[in-house]
Amino acid sequence: MIKKKKTILDTVFQEEKVFNNCGIYSKQYSINQKYGKGTLVSHSFDGLFIEYFHGSFNENYIFESKPLVNTLEVSILIQGGKIINCKHTGEDLVHEEQETFLSFSENLNGFVKYYKNIVVREVKIKLFYEFIKKHQLISLFSKFQEYSTDKTNCNSFIIPICNKTQNILTELLTDNRVGILKRLFLEAKVLELVSLQVEQQKKENNGTESLVKKLYTVKSIISSNLNEQYSIKKLSRKVLLNDTVLKKEFKRVFSSTISEFSFSVRMNKAKELLLHTTKPIYEISDIVGYKNPTHFSAAFKKNSSLTPKQYRNTYCEV
């Protein structure tokens, strides 16, 4: 059971930097060593708020989720897990890694729970009415309101991260633009991301529950066993689905083929290991399912236009 901690966010996170560049108001925080370790960086301008969090807590913590009027929120969990409590429905929603939580926050009220010693990597985006109006999205406002927690089942908010979303996340996390170029880049990527989420939400709601659960199982099998290359036939047997149905429905739900998803998750894991560990490239190659380091290097360069060594040297200092 989670132990509720009545802590103030500003106590847990220590402000380190605040700066303004071409109207982008940015803040950088670190977690107080008493509570855990990690960093939080946020950017805001013209009704758009973007936050990057990477860290873990020493204890189980619950943070109050305060409702913001007329705000569309997208929470993308790259790594880790958390619980979102929807106060209106009384539901506890499990938000796991490689999933997106999309909601219209006018009536979003409850708690967000983080678990002890679980590393979380998350991107949060909030679109305020000012941003929605600026980009002439008013006609979609009623559609956004469908994601209000008092009008639908909270479980329908959770959707998988598709291949296109993963590409956008990689661009956001490795971007080093500043000033007006940063503003234009962030606006463009957020609009693209929100469009993908709304479109994918529609597709997800059209699927059958039992089938979708099996597809999530396939996704989990691949993500949890990166050192093993699964054939379509073997995956089909594991979830008791016809080969053709598995391939077709996986593409429909996750917006990528099984092969594309498998390749993408392996490359993302390889990038994480290259940036955050000192493991040799041949070892990383084996971890992500390539027994031949040369084949791994060729696949990695196809994905990122850089060899593993070049990628490590380029981004390790960022």
Side-chain angles (χ1 to χ4, degrees), residues 183-315:
R183 286 171 62 100
L184 292 172
F185 172 79
L186 291 177
E187 283 196 19
K189 290 303 169 183
V190 165
L191 288 170
E192 185 179 358
L193 191 59
V194 170
S195 175
L196 279 172
Q197 299 313 302
V198 174
E199 180 182 355
Q200 193 181 4
Q201 181 76 36
K202 277 180 164 182
K203 293 179 181 178
E204 188 71 16
N205 287 341
N206 289 332
T208 60
E209 184 178 7
S210 58
L211 176 59
V212 169
K213 284 183 178 180
K214 290 184 177 183
L215 297 176
Y216 270 88
T217 298
V218 169
K219 180 172 177 280
S220 178
I221 290 170
I222 295 171
S223 300
S224 302
N225 302 278
L226 296 182
N227 63 330
E228 184 172 350
Q229 298 278 1
Y230 284 97
S231 67
I232 299 294
K233 191 171 184 178
K234 189 171 183 179
L235 289 170
S236 298
R237 285 201 300 265
K238 281 182 173 289
V239 295
L240 302 178
L241 277 179
N242 174 272
D243 294 14
T244 303
V245 172
L246 174 59
K247 289 189 289 185
K248 179 182 177 181
E249 294 303 312
F250 192 97
K251 177 68 180 291
R252 179 186 67 79
V253 172
F254 296 139
S255 298
S256 71
T257 65
I258 293 175
S259 177
E260 289 169 345
F261 173 76
S262 178
F263 180 73
S264 178
V265 75
R266 281 181 166 79
M267 292 301 104
N268 286 339
K269 182 62 177 179
K271 289 174 183 178
E272 179 185 328
L273 292 171
L274 287 166
L275 293 182
H276 303 299
T277 75
T278 58
K279 293 181 183 297
I281 291 171
Y282 72 84
E283 187 175 334
I284 293 175
S285 171
D286 187 63
I287 290 173
V288 298
Y290 289 85
K291 303 308 177 185
N292 187 319
T294 302
H295 292 168
F296 165 65
S297 294
F300 190 90
K301 188 171 184 179
K302 180 181 178 181
N303 174 261
S304 64
S305 300
L306 296 171
T307 66
K309 183 177 180 180
Q310 289 170 336
Y311 187 88
R312 175 174 269 171
N313 292 339
T314 300
Y315 294 113

Side-chain angles (χ1 to χ4, degrees), residues 15 18 30 34 42 61 66 90 94 98 115 132 144 172 179 181 218 232 249 257 259 267 276 279 287 290 298 316:
E15 186 176 280
V18 178
S30 63
K34 178 181 178 182
S42 67
Y61 282 104
K66 297 181 179 179
V94 180
Q98 295 296 300
Y115 290 98
I132 292 172
F144 290 158
L172 286 171
L181 292 179
V218 169
I232 299 294
E249 294 303 312
T257 65
S259 177
M267 292 301 104
H276 303 299
K279 293 181 183 297
I287 290 173
Y290 289 85
C316 259

